[in-house]
Amino acid sequence: MTGTVRLWRWRRNPLRRRTDVAEAWLGLAAGLVLVAGAPAAGVGTALAVGDALLAERDTAQPRRAEVIGRAAVPVVAGAASRAHAEVRWTGRDGVVRVAHTRVDAGAEPGSRVTVWTDDRGRLTGAPATRSEAWLGAGLAGAGVAACVGVAAVGARNAARGRLDARRAAAWERAWAEAAPRWGRRVP
């Protein structure tokens, strides 16, 4: 019991200000957010993004399509350059669809390409692989954890700045009250 009394003795310190107690609680709250909140937010985000990307991967369907318009000349020349062209494919429901998508540069009309569609038959991009999905999810989680940590530290620093301003104002008031007494001569 004596250890507890000694531990909390600082609470009865006559020099302790309310702003000091508020700053201590702010530091504790920011520390808890950094230690527990930021990692939890990061893990939660990574799991949600990973699951969403994998679900998108499961619903994406490859379709064979025919290029019906000449592929535009690519802006960036190179071996892996891509260009936009009009393509036609038949959906799962048997409806023939036409849309613009990216194909290999120089694809001629009549050439066959693979396009990806979602569960409604709309054209989408190629889905991420499992490793790409989890890499993206990990990066998103790390980004969210970093943002939560920066926000916690920033909020603590902003609140500490306000507390410092209050302490400075109180110090000025105390000096203004005490200064006139110091200037008088005592007989």
Side-chain angles (χ1 to χ4, degrees):
M1 190 68 169
T2 57
T4 306
V5 172
R6 283 190 202 135
L7 180 63
W8 298 108
R9 189 174 290 170
W10 65 272
R11 298 179 87 188
R12 291 188 303 254
N13 186 341
L15 299 177
R16 177 186 54 89
R17 301 170 288 192
R18 290 178 62 195
T19 55
D20 296 333
V21 174
E23 184 177 352
W25 283 109
L26 284 169
L28 178 64
L32 287 174
V33 169
L34 285 173
V35 170
V43 168
T45 300
L47 291 175
V49 169
D51 289 344
L53 289 174
L54 291 176
E56 181 181 295
R57 184 176 187 270
D58 292 339
T59 61
Q61 306 253 332
R63 297 277 173 227
R64 293 298 294 165
E66 178 184 355
V67 176
I68 58 174
R70 187 170 184 83
V73 177
V75 177
V76 178
S81 58
R82 309 274 285 166
H84 284 276
E86 194 171 29
V87 295
R88 175 180 47 219
W89 75 97
T90 303
R92 249 186 349 194
D93 54 5
V95 176
V96 175
R97 293 187 168 86
V98 176
H100 284 275
T101 190
R102 292 177 61 179
V103 297
D104 291 334
E108 297 291 329
S111 59
R112 303 295 248 161
V113 295
T114 300
V115 295
W116 291 87
T117 60
D118 62 8
D119 53 352
R120 293 184 179 165
R122 295 178 299 195
L123 202 59
T124 64
T129 63
R130 284 184 105 50
S131 59
E132 289 171 341
W134 286 115
L135 176 65
L139 290 174
V144 166
C147 288
V148 168
V150 167
V153 171
R156 180 200 168 270
N157 288 344
R160 186 175 179 198
R162 298 277 304 205
L163 291 172
D164 286 344
R166 288 179 72 180
R167 285 189 280 250
W171 185 251
E172 289 295 325
R173 284 191 303 274
W175 272 106
E177 184 181 310
R181 285 185 269 159
W182 289 351
R184 284 186 270 168
R185 290 186 178 217
V186 178

